[in-house]
Every structure is written in structure tokens, then in C-alpha cells.
Amino acid sequence: MRLNVITLFPEMVEQALSFGVIGRAIKQGLMTVHTYNPRDYAENKHNTVDDKPFGGGAGMVMMYDPLLRTWQAVQDSGQAGDLYYLSPQGQVLDQSLCNALAQTEALTLLCGRYDGIDQRFVDRHVDAELSIGDYVISGGELAACVVVDAIGRQLKGVLGDEDSAKTDSFMSGQLVAPQYTRSEILGQSGVPAVLLSGNHQAIAQWRAEEAALVTQQKRPDLVGTSGGSNATHVPMRTEED
Ligand code: 9D3
């Protein structure tokens, strides 16, 4: 799968994605991440990509033209896919949306900085807006990393154990049972005896019961939801591309 990221801070995205399972997946070519910097597509002598908002206001707004030339460059690769704008106004990301996004061959993530981007770019070119949750962060880069990570771990071959993605919390629509490793005794605290029993059926049953209990206690809002495997998302289409 190919992921294109349009960002004023490409190093931030590249570095964040260079570690762990995602770093390895990229190294192995299971997914490719291409960054595009609108600064490289600015045409005035100061490489300006932002300007003051019409109507006034404290922040700056990312300009239409450099974004358009950047998006054109992504499309020239022939592997742009749909364009997703990371924005606090977007559809809030969840597991089913990540799973749906992971089914595509390519997609492009657009990261905003300052107070966002010229609305006309959204109206003309963006297929859908994505948020990572109801809190404010300083730009789209960390959100893009979250999206790439969540998508990447759904791709075949990325996780060592082929089943790991399926047993993740939220894939089954609930949380998972607690885990233990050595030492067997930490002061007064032991390990649930069933985990030392060698009885795999009993262990599986205990884990299922604990998962239900933990979910009920910590995330009652998840109880009764079907889980993350149902893709519910369709990108909204706009008039032009
Ligand atoms: C302080 C500026 N806000 C009022 C004018 C609007 C605003 C603009 C840009 C608020 C946040 C941002 C930067 N955030 C993102 O680019 C972002 C984000 C987020 O803040 N929360 C959840 N998901 C996302 S995805 C991208």
C-alpha cells in the first residue's frame, strides 16, 4: 500500500514512522510512505505557503495554490488515491474506518498547520476529512502518523503473528484480558493460576471472561457494539476530482 503525506514537516512524519513494526514494514516495502512538502511548490521568492485570513483573525491560513501544485505532484505519481484532510472537523477515526482505509491500494493524507487551509481547497479536492478525536492538537502531522500506524498494522505481513491484528482491542469490539510475564511472584502479587495451568482451553475461556469484565468496567460504552470489522465509511465525493 502507498501512503502519500502532504506536510510542511515531512521529517516529523518520517521519523515518527521509522520505529517498531511500522518502521520495519516500511523498510520491507510492505507499505511505502511518500512525503510532499507544499514549501517545495511555493512560487514566490520567500517560498510562502500561508497568508492572513480574509476578514481578520489571529492565525494564518495555508494558501490554495501551493497546495494545488503539491496535490498535482502527488497525482502525477499515478498512485494518489483519495485525498483525506486531517482536521478537527473530520469524521472521528475508529477501527472500522481504519480497516476500510487499509483495503485501498493508495491514499493521500493532507496535514494542516496554522489555523488550517483555504476552504476552497477542501471544497474542490478533498474527498473526506478525518479527525483523531475531540481534542485540539497543533497540526495534522501527529494525526497522520496515527492514521498510517493504524492502517499499517492491518496490512498482511506487518505483524509477526498473522492473528495479532485480529486479537487487538477494538477488533473484537472490546478490550483484552490483563497480561503477565516473569517473575511469577512479585512480593504479594502472584499470577492468576489458570495462566500457569497449561490448559489452553481454560486459558482462552478465562481471557474471554476477563475481557468482558474489563470492558464492562472500563469502557461500558463498547458493550454491545459489534466491533471493528464492519467497514462503514464511504468517502464523500466533491464536484471536481
Ligand atoms: C486554534 C485554532 N482553532 C480555531 C480557529 C481551529 C484549529 C485549527 C487547526 C484547531 C486545531 C487545528 C490543528 N489540528 C489539526 O490539524 C488536527 C486535529 C485536531 O486538532 N484534533 C483532532 N484531530 C485532528 S486531525 C488534524
Side-chain angles (χ1 to χ4, degrees):
M1 179 173 185
R2 171 165 168 145
L3 294 130
N4 309 293
V5 183
I6 299 173
T7 169
L8 291 171
F9 299 118
E11 298 91 346
M12 187 176 172
V13 173
E14 285 155 12
Q15 286 210 38
L17 297 173
S18 69
F19 300 91
V21 289
I22 300 302
R24 202 169 313 125
I26 292 170
K27 248 186 237 143
Q28 292 176 342
L30 297 171
M31 63 193 301
T32 54
V33 177
H34 292 256
T35 55
Y36 293 79
N37 190 341
R39 188 84 59 192
D40 297 336
Y41 300 90
E43 279 189 343
N44 69 24
K45 66 174 180 203
H46 293 294
N47 288 345
T48 313
V49 294
D50 62 319
D51 207 340
K52 293 175 292 189
F54 284 123
M60 299 289 273
V61 176
M62 287 174 73
M63 296 161 71
Y64 182 90
D65 283 329
L67 287 176
L68 180 62
R69 285 189 289 269
T70 311
W71 177 227
Q72 193 55 247
V74 179
Q75 289 181 302
D76 288 346
S77 76
Q79 296 174 89
D82 282 334
L83 178 58
Y84 293 89
Y85 174 38
L86 282 315
S87 151
Q89 302 185 16
Q91 175 178 357
V92 177
L93 197 69
D94 65 8
Q95 191 64 58
S96 79
L97 184 43
C98 293
N99 297 352
L101 294 173
Q103 302 306 310
T104 59
E105 266 311 303
L107 58 82
T108 300
L109 302 174
L110 168 58
C111 304
R113 276 280 150 175
Y114 317 114
D115 258 344
I117 73 179
D118 191 302
Q119 184 61 36
R120 292 167 293 186
F121 190 83
V122 180
D123 296 341
R124 290 187 181 183
H125 304 292
V126 167
D127 294 302
E129 293 181 73
L130 296 179
S131 164
I132 59 164
D134 294 336
Y135 42 84
V136 181
I137 58 176
S138 305
E141 285 76 12
L142 290 175
C145 293
V146 166
V147 173
V148 173
D149 186 299
I151 288 174
R153 53 187 293 109
Q154 297 305 319
L155 301 177
K156 199 167 149 53
V158 170
L159 298 184
D161 171 7
E162 285 287 316
D163 282 348
S164 301
K166 292 188 189 108
T167 57
D168 267 356
S169 287
F170 298 110
M171 287 306 286
S172 53
Q174 60 175 12
L175 308 182
V176 295
Q179 303 269 36
Y180 301 86
T181 186
R182 296 195 295 172
S183 295
E184 209 176 301
I185 311 281
L186 292 176
Q188 300 284 72
S189 314
V191 172
V194 63
L195 298 178
L196 307 172
S197 70
N199 182 340
H200 298 295
Q201 202 200 313
I203 291 169
Q205 191 186 328
W206 179 85
R207 285 184 167 150
E209 289 163 5
E210 285 295 314
L213 211 64
V214 165
T215 306
Q216 179 59 246
Q217 284 171 350
K218 295 185 174 174
R219 292 293 306 275
D221 57 301
L222 294 178
V223 175
T225 60
S226 58
S229 11
N230 318 309
T232 54
H233 170 75
V234 179
M236 70 180 195
R237 304 274 10 161
T238 52
E239 305 135 59
E240 296 167 57
D241 92 33

PDB file of all heavy atoms in Angstrom, residues 85-90 110-116 130-144, ligand 1:
ATOM      1  N   TYR A  85      -8.160  14.962   4.328  1.00  0.00           N
ATOM      2  CA  TYR A  85      -7.639  16.109   5.068  1.00  0.00           C
ATOM      3  C   TYR A  85      -7.784  15.845   6.556  1.00  0.00           C
ATOM      4  O   TYR A  85      -8.912  15.629   7.032  1.00  0.00           O
ATOM      5  CB  TYR A  85      -8.402  17.371   4.645  1.00  0.00           C
ATOM      6  CG  TYR A  85      -8.086  18.625   5.427  1.00  0.00           C
ATOM      7  CD1 TYR A  85      -6.797  18.932   5.849  1.00  0.00           C
ATOM      8  CD2 TYR A  85      -9.111  19.528   5.728  1.00  0.00           C
ATOM      9  CE1 TYR A  85      -6.525  20.092   6.560  1.00  0.00           C
ATOM     10  CE2 TYR A  85      -8.851  20.700   6.432  1.00  0.00           C
ATOM     11  CZ  TYR A  85      -7.548  20.970   6.850  1.00  0.00           C
ATOM     12  OH  TYR A  85      -7.287  22.121   7.551  1.00  0.00           O
ATOM     13  N   LEU A  86      -6.660  15.814   7.286  1.00  0.00           N
ATOM     14  CA  LEU A  86      -6.699  15.655   8.735  1.00  0.00           C
ATOM     15  C   LEU A  86      -7.179  16.963   9.335  1.00  0.00           C
ATOM     16  O   LEU A  86      -6.535  18.004   9.162  1.00  0.00           O
ATOM     17  CB  LEU A  86      -5.316  15.309   9.281  1.00  0.00           C
ATOM     18  CG  LEU A  86      -4.815  13.870   9.141  1.00  0.00           C
ATOM     19  CD1 LEU A  86      -5.878  12.875   9.521  1.00  0.00           C
ATOM     20  CD2 LEU A  86      -4.276  13.584   7.768  1.00  0.00           C
ATOM     21  N   SER A  87      -8.290  16.896  10.039  1.00  0.00           N
ATOM     22  CA  SER A  87      -8.924  18.122  10.500  1.00  0.00           C
ATOM     23  C   SER A  87      -9.775  17.840  11.723  1.00  0.00           C
ATOM     24  O   SER A  87     -10.408  16.776  11.821  1.00  0.00           O
ATOM     25  CB  SER A  87      -9.811  18.662   9.365  1.00  0.00           C
ATOM     26  OG  SER A  87     -10.916  19.382   9.878  1.00  0.00           O
ATOM     27  N   PRO A  88      -9.794  18.781  12.675  1.00  0.00           N
ATOM     28  CA  PRO A  88     -10.662  18.572  13.845  1.00  0.00           C
ATOM     29  C   PRO A  88     -12.142  18.498  13.472  1.00  0.00           C
ATOM     30  O   PRO A  88     -12.959  18.069  14.279  1.00  0.00           O
ATOM     31  CB  PRO A  88     -10.367  19.770  14.751  1.00  0.00           C
ATOM     32  CG  PRO A  88      -9.535  20.711  13.979  1.00  0.00           C
ATOM     33  CD  PRO A  88      -9.029  20.023  12.762  1.00  0.00           C
ATOM     34  N   GLN A  89     -12.477  18.876  12.248  1.00  0.00           N
ATOM     35  CA  GLN A  89     -13.873  18.825  11.808  1.00  0.00           C
ATOM     36  C   GLN A  89     -14.225  17.524  11.093  1.00  0.00           C
ATOM     37  O   GLN A  89     -15.337  17.375  10.589  1.00  0.00           O
ATOM     38  CB  GLN A  89     -14.162  20.007  10.876  1.00  0.00           C
ATOM     39  CG  GLN A  89     -13.889  21.336  11.539  1.00  0.00           C
ATOM     40  CD  GLN A  89     -14.287  22.511  10.673  1.00  0.00           C
ATOM     41  OE1 GLN A  89     -15.027  22.361   9.706  1.00  0.00           O
ATOM     42  NE2 GLN A  89     -13.796  23.684  11.034  1.00  0.00           N
ATOM     43  N   GLY A  90     -13.254  16.597  11.024  1.00  0.00           N
ATOM     44  CA  GLY A  90     -13.477  15.386  10.247  1.00  0.00           C
ATOM     45  C   GLY A  90     -14.274  14.326  10.965  1.00  0.00           C
ATOM     46  O   GLY A  90     -14.580  14.437  12.161  1.00  0.00           O
ATOM     47  N   LEU A 110      -3.526  14.838   3.927  1.00  0.00           N
ATOM     48  CA  LEU A 110      -3.124  16.249   3.916  1.00  0.00           C
ATOM     49  C   LEU A 110      -3.125  16.791   5.340  1.00  0.00           C
ATOM     50  O   LEU A 110      -4.139  16.737   6.038  1.00  0.00           O
ATOM     51  CB  LEU A 110      -4.095  17.047   3.033  1.00  0.00           C
ATOM     52  CG  LEU A 110      -4.025  18.579   3.111  1.00  0.00           C
ATOM     53  CD1 LEU A 110      -2.638  19.100   2.755  1.00  0.00           C
ATOM     54  CD2 LEU A 110      -5.086  19.180   2.186  1.00  0.00           C
ATOM     55  N   CYS A 111      -1.954  17.282   5.766  1.00  0.00           N
ATOM     56  CA  CYS A 111      -1.801  17.823   7.115  1.00  0.00           C
ATOM     57  C   CYS A 111      -1.899  19.339   7.079  1.00  0.00           C
ATOM     58  O   CYS A 111      -1.157  19.995   6.351  1.00  0.00           O
ATOM     59  CB  CYS A 111      -0.436  17.448   7.686  1.00  0.00           C
ATOM     60  SG  CYS A 111      -0.108  15.683   7.693  1.00  0.00           S
ATOM     61  N   GLY A 112      -2.785  19.885   7.893  1.00  0.00           N
ATOM     62  CA  GLY A 112      -2.874  21.325   8.033  1.00  0.00           C
ATOM     63  C   GLY A 112      -1.930  21.816   9.115  1.00  0.00           C
ATOM     64  O   GLY A 112      -1.579  21.080  10.035  1.00  0.00           O
ATOM     65  N   ARG A 113      -1.508  23.052   8.998  1.00  0.00           N
ATOM     66  CA  ARG A 113      -0.771  23.767  10.054  1.00  0.00           C
ATOM     67  C   ARG A 113      -1.421  25.130  10.193  1.00  0.00           C
ATOM     68  O   ARG A 113      -2.348  25.453   9.474  1.00  0.00           O
ATOM     69  CB  ARG A 113       0.711  23.909   9.696  1.00  0.00           C
ATOM     70  CG  ARG A 113       1.523  22.705  10.065  1.00  0.00           C
ATOM     71  CD  ARG A 113       1.866  22.711  11.565  1.00  0.00           C
ATOM     72  NE  ARG A 113       2.005  21.350  12.100  1.00  0.00           N
ATOM     73  CZ  ARG A 113       2.401  21.074  13.345  1.00  0.00           C
ATOM     74  NH1 ARG A 113       2.710  22.070  14.188  1.00  0.00           N
ATOM     75  NH2 ARG A 113       2.460  19.849  13.770  1.00  0.00           N
ATOM     76  N   TYR A 114      -0.916  25.946  11.091  1.00  0.00           N
ATOM     77  CA  TYR A 114      -1.516  27.256  11.356  1.00  0.00           C
ATOM     78  C   TYR A 114      -2.985  27.055  11.724  1.00  0.00           C
ATOM     79  O   TYR A 114      -3.322  26.137  12.464  1.00  0.00           O
ATOM     80  CB  TYR A 114      -1.338  28.198  10.160  1.00  0.00           C
ATOM     81  CG  TYR A 114       0.036  28.147   9.556  1.00  0.00           C
ATOM     82  CD1 TYR A 114       0.243  27.673   8.269  1.00  0.00           C
ATOM     83  CD2 TYR A 114       1.155  28.529  10.306  1.00  0.00           C
ATOM     84  CE1 TYR A 114       1.521  27.610   7.726  1.00  0.00           C
ATOM     85  CE2 TYR A 114       2.434  28.464   9.764  1.00  0.00           C
ATOM     86  CZ  TYR A 114       2.607  28.001   8.485  1.00  0.00           C
ATOM     87  OH  TYR A 114       3.863  27.925   7.954  1.00  0.00           O
ATOM     88  N   ASP A 115      -3.872  27.869  11.177  1.00  0.00           N
ATOM     89  CA  ASP A 115      -5.289  27.729  11.509  1.00  0.00           C
ATOM     90  C   ASP A 115      -6.052  26.913  10.479  1.00  0.00           C
ATOM     91  O   ASP A 115      -7.273  26.942  10.444  1.00  0.00           O
ATOM     92  CB  ASP A 115      -5.934  29.105  11.682  1.00  0.00           C
ATOM     93  CG  ASP A 115      -6.106  29.443  13.166  1.00  0.00           C
ATOM     94  OD1 ASP A 115      -6.021  28.521  14.003  1.00  0.00           O
ATOM     95  OD2 ASP A 115      -6.331  30.618  13.483  1.00  0.00           O
ATOM     96  N   GLY A 116      -5.320  26.175   9.651  1.00  0.00           N
ATOM     97  CA  GLY A 116      -5.974  25.330   8.670  1.00  0.00           C
ATOM     98  C   GLY A 116      -5.699  25.787   7.249  1.00  0.00           C
ATOM     99  O   GLY A 116      -4.775  26.570   7.014  1.00  0.00           O
ATOM    100  N   LEU A 130     -10.777  13.744   8.153  1.00  0.00           N
ATOM    101  CA  LEU A 130     -10.592  12.792   9.246  1.00  0.00           C
ATOM    102  C   LEU A 130     -10.089  13.500  10.486  1.00  0.00           C
ATOM    103  O   LEU A 130      -9.136  14.270  10.421  1.00  0.00           O
ATOM    104  CB  LEU A 130      -9.538  11.736   8.873  1.00  0.00           C
ATOM    105  CG  LEU A 130      -9.807  10.783   7.727  1.00  0.00           C
ATOM    106  CD1 LEU A 130      -8.604   9.860   7.552  1.00  0.00           C
ATOM    107  CD2 LEU A 130     -11.074   9.997   7.989  1.00  0.00           C
ATOM    108  N   SER A 131     -10.702  13.199  11.624  1.00  0.00           N
ATOM    109  CA  SER A 131     -10.237  13.670  12.926  1.00  0.00           C
ATOM    110  C   SER A 131      -9.758  12.467  13.723  1.00  0.00           C
ATOM    111  O   SER A 131     -10.214  11.347  13.501  1.00  0.00           O
ATOM    112  CB  SER A 131     -11.389  14.356  13.672  1.00  0.00           C
ATOM    113  OG  SER A 131     -11.083  14.503  15.048  1.00  0.00           O
ATOM    114  N   ILE A 132      -8.817  12.670  14.658  1.00  0.00           N
ATOM    115  CA  ILE A 132      -8.421  11.549  15.531  1.00  0.00           C
ATOM    116  C   ILE A 132      -9.080  11.641  16.898  1.00  0.00           C
ATOM    117  O   ILE A 132      -8.788  10.834  17.773  1.00  0.00           O
ATOM    118  CB  ILE A 132      -6.891  11.401  15.662  1.00  0.00           C
ATOM    119  CG1 ILE A 132      -6.239  12.656  16.227  1.00  0.00           C
ATOM    120  CG2 ILE A 132      -6.280  11.007  14.320  1.00  0.00           C
ATOM    121  CD1 ILE A 132      -4.808  12.402  16.718  1.00  0.00           C
ATOM    122  N   GLY A 133      -9.959  12.611  17.108  1.00  0.00           N
ATOM    123  CA  GLY A 133     -10.671  12.659  18.376  1.00  0.00           C
ATOM    124  C   GLY A 133     -10.990  14.080  18.775  1.00  0.00           C
ATOM    125  O   GLY A 133     -10.476  15.034  18.207  1.00  0.00           O
ATOM    126  N   ASP A 134     -11.826  14.205  19.780  1.00  0.00           N
ATOM    127  CA  ASP A 134     -12.345  15.517  20.164  1.00  0.00           C
ATOM    128  C   ASP A 134     -11.454  16.212  21.180  1.00  0.00           C
ATOM    129  O   ASP A 134     -11.792  16.318  22.369  1.00  0.00           O
ATOM    130  CB  ASP A 134     -13.781  15.381  20.681  1.00  0.00           C
ATOM    131  CG  ASP A 134     -14.730  14.937  19.576  1.00  0.00           C
ATOM    132  OD1 ASP A 134     -14.408  15.174  18.394  1.00  0.00           O
ATOM    133  OD2 ASP A 134     -15.772  14.354  19.894  1.00  0.00           O
ATOM    134  N   TYR A 135     -10.305  16.650  20.700  1.00  0.00           N
ATOM    135  CA  TYR A 135      -9.347  17.446  21.472  1.00  0.00           C
ATOM    136  C   TYR A 135      -8.526  18.191  20.440  1.00  0.00           C
ATOM    137  O   TYR A 135      -8.507  17.812  19.268  1.00  0.00           O
ATOM    138  CB  TYR A 135      -8.451  16.560  22.353  1.00  0.00           C
ATOM    139  CG  TYR A 135      -7.988  15.317  21.640  1.00  0.00           C
ATOM    140  CD1 TYR A 135      -6.870  15.354  20.804  1.00  0.00           C
ATOM    141  CD2 TYR A 135      -8.697  14.122  21.741  1.00  0.00           C
ATOM    142  CE1 TYR A 135      -6.461  14.226  20.108  1.00  0.00           C
ATOM    143  CE2 TYR A 135      -8.295  12.999  21.057  1.00  0.00           C
ATOM    144  CZ  TYR A 135      -7.177  13.049  20.244  1.00  0.00           C
ATOM    145  OH  TYR A 135      -6.794  11.937  19.547  1.00  0.00           O
ATOM    146  N   VAL A 136      -7.847  19.247  20.865  1.00  0.00           N
ATOM    147  CA  VAL A 136      -7.116  20.075  19.914  1.00  0.00           C
ATOM    148  C   VAL A 136      -5.632  19.731  19.938  1.00  0.00           C
ATOM    149  O   VAL A 136      -5.009  19.727  21.003  1.00  0.00           O
ATOM    150  CB  VAL A 136      -7.309  21.575  20.212  1.00  0.00           C
ATOM    151  CG1 VAL A 136      -6.559  22.412  19.178  1.00  0.00           C
ATOM    152  CG2 VAL A 136      -8.781  21.937  20.220  1.00  0.00           C
ATOM    153  N   ILE A 137      -5.058  19.437  18.778  1.00  0.00           N
ATOM    154  CA  ILE A 137      -3.609  19.316  18.629  1.00  0.00           C
ATOM    155  C   ILE A 137      -3.151  20.405  17.666  1.00  0.00           C
ATOM    156  O   ILE A 137      -3.970  21.162  17.138  1.00  0.00           O
ATOM    157  CB  ILE A 137      -3.184  17.899  18.175  1.00  0.00           C
ATOM    158  CG1 ILE A 137      -3.836  17.519  16.848  1.00  0.00           C
ATOM    159  CG2 ILE A 137      -3.552  16.892  19.253  1.00  0.00           C
ATOM    160  CD1 ILE A 137      -3.363  16.171  16.313  1.00  0.00           C
ATOM    161  N   SER A 138      -1.855  20.492  17.425  1.00  0.00           N
ATOM    162  CA  SER A 138      -1.303  21.696  16.781  1.00  0.00           C
ATOM    163  C   SER A 138      -1.198  21.611  15.272  1.00  0.00           C
ATOM    164  O   SER A 138      -0.773  22.560  14.625  1.00  0.00           O
ATOM    165  CB  SER A 138       0.073  21.999  17.367  1.00  0.00           C
ATOM    166  OG  SER A 138      -0.029  22.107  18.767  1.00  0.00           O
ATOM    167  N   GLY A 139      -1.545  20.465  14.705  1.00  0.00           N
ATOM    168  CA  GLY A 139      -1.454  20.314  13.268  1.00  0.00           C
ATOM    169  C   GLY A 139      -1.753  18.886  12.887  1.00  0.00           C
ATOM    170  O   GLY A 139      -1.957  18.031  13.754  1.00  0.00           O
ATOM    171  N   GLY A 140      -1.770  18.595  11.599  1.00  0.00           N
ATOM    172  CA  GLY A 140      -2.204  17.284  11.134  1.00  0.00           C
ATOM    173  C   GLY A 140      -1.160  16.182  11.194  1.00  0.00           C
ATOM    174  O   GLY A 140      -1.500  15.013  11.014  1.00  0.00           O
ATOM    175  N   GLU A 141       0.114  16.535  11.448  1.00  0.00           N
ATOM    176  CA  GLU A 141       1.175  15.533  11.313  1.00  0.00           C
ATOM    177  C   GLU A 141       1.023  14.365  12.282  1.00  0.00           C
ATOM    178  O   GLU A 141       1.134  13.198  11.885  1.00  0.00           O
ATOM    179  CB  GLU A 141       2.555  16.176  11.489  1.00  0.00           C
ATOM    180  CG  GLU A 141       3.018  16.989  10.277  1.00  0.00           C
ATOM    181  CD  GLU A 141       2.331  18.343  10.173  1.00  0.00           C
ATOM    182  OE1 GLU A 141       1.666  18.761  11.154  1.00  0.00           O
ATOM    183  OE2 GLU A 141       2.460  18.982   9.111  1.00  0.00           O
ATOM    184  N   LEU A 142       0.814  14.673  13.557  1.00  0.00           N
ATOM    185  CA  LEU A 142       0.672  13.568  14.522  1.00  0.00           C
ATOM    186  C   LEU A 142      -0.564  12.742  14.193  1.00  0.00           C
ATOM    187  O   LEU A 142      -0.555  11.517  14.325  1.00  0.00           O
ATOM    188  CB  LEU A 142       0.612  14.107  15.952  1.00  0.00           C
ATOM    189  CG  LEU A 142       1.920  14.696  16.489  1.00  0.00           C
ATOM    190  CD1 LEU A 142       1.705  15.317  17.860  1.00  0.00           C
ATOM    191  CD2 LEU A 142       3.006  13.627  16.549  1.00  0.00           C
ATOM    192  N   ALA A 143      -1.607  13.405  13.742  1.00  0.00           N
ATOM    193  CA  ALA A 143      -2.831  12.690  13.346  1.00  0.00           C
ATOM    194  C   ALA A 143      -2.552  11.780  12.148  1.00  0.00           C
ATOM    195  O   ALA A 143      -2.999  10.628  12.119  1.00  0.00           O
ATOM    196  CB  ALA A 143      -3.940  13.685  13.026  1.00  0.00           C
ATOM    197  N   ALA A 144      -1.788  12.280  11.178  1.00  0.00           N
ATOM    198  CA  ALA A 144      -1.448  11.462  10.003  1.00  0.00           C
ATOM    199  C   ALA A 144      -0.661  10.229  10.438  1.00  0.00           C
ATOM    200  O   ALA A 144      -0.887   9.135   9.922  1.00  0.00           O
ATOM    201  CB  ALA A 144      -0.654  12.279   8.993  1.00  0.00           C
TER     202      ALA A 144
HETATM  203  C1  9D3 B   1      -6.974  27.191  17.443  1.00  0.00           C
HETATM  204  C2  9D3 B   1      -7.458  27.149  16.055  1.00  0.00           C
HETATM  205  N1  9D3 B   1      -8.823  26.608  16.028  1.00  0.00           N
HETATM  206  C3  9D3 B   1      -9.796  27.701  15.973  1.00  0.00           C
HETATM  207  C4  9D3 B   1      -9.616  28.679  14.900  1.00  0.00           C
HETATM  208  C5  9D3 B   1      -9.038  25.732  14.873  1.00  0.00           C
HETATM  209  C6  9D3 B   1      -7.998  24.696  14.718  1.00  0.00           C
HETATM  210  C7  9D3 B   1      -7.201  24.695  13.610  1.00  0.00           C
HETATM  211  C8  9D3 B   1      -6.205  23.740  13.473  1.00  0.00           C
HETATM  212  C9  9D3 B   1      -7.820  23.721  15.687  1.00  0.00           C
HETATM  213  C10 9D3 B   1      -6.822  22.759  15.533  1.00  0.00           C
HETATM  214  C11 9D3 B   1      -6.013  22.790  14.444  1.00  0.00           C
HETATM  215  C12 9D3 B   1      -4.943  21.789  14.288  1.00  0.00           C
HETATM  216  N2  9D3 B   1      -5.464  20.419  14.401  1.00  0.00           N
HETATM  217  C13 9D3 B   1      -5.374  19.539  13.418  1.00  0.00           C
HETATM  218  O1  9D3 B   1      -4.805  19.859  12.379  1.00  0.00           O
HETATM  219  C14 9D3 B   1      -5.986  18.231  13.548  1.00  0.00           C
HETATM  220  C15 9D3 B   1      -6.724  17.643  14.613  1.00  0.00           C
HETATM  221  C16 9D3 B   1      -7.101  18.109  15.909  1.00  0.00           C
HETATM  222  O2  9D3 B   1      -6.787  19.230  16.353  1.00  0.00           O
HETATM  223  N3  9D3 B   1      -7.851  17.284  16.697  1.00  0.00           N
HETATM  224  C17 9D3 B   1      -8.238  16.041  16.304  1.00  0.00           C
HETATM  225  N4  9D3 B   1      -7.915  15.557  15.116  1.00  0.00           N
HETATM  226  C18 9D3 B   1      -7.162  16.358  14.293  1.00  0.00           C
HETATM  227  S1  9D3 B   1      -6.668  15.928  12.774  1.00  0.00           S
HETATM  228  C19 9D3 B   1      -5.890  17.350  12.493  1.00  0.00           C
END
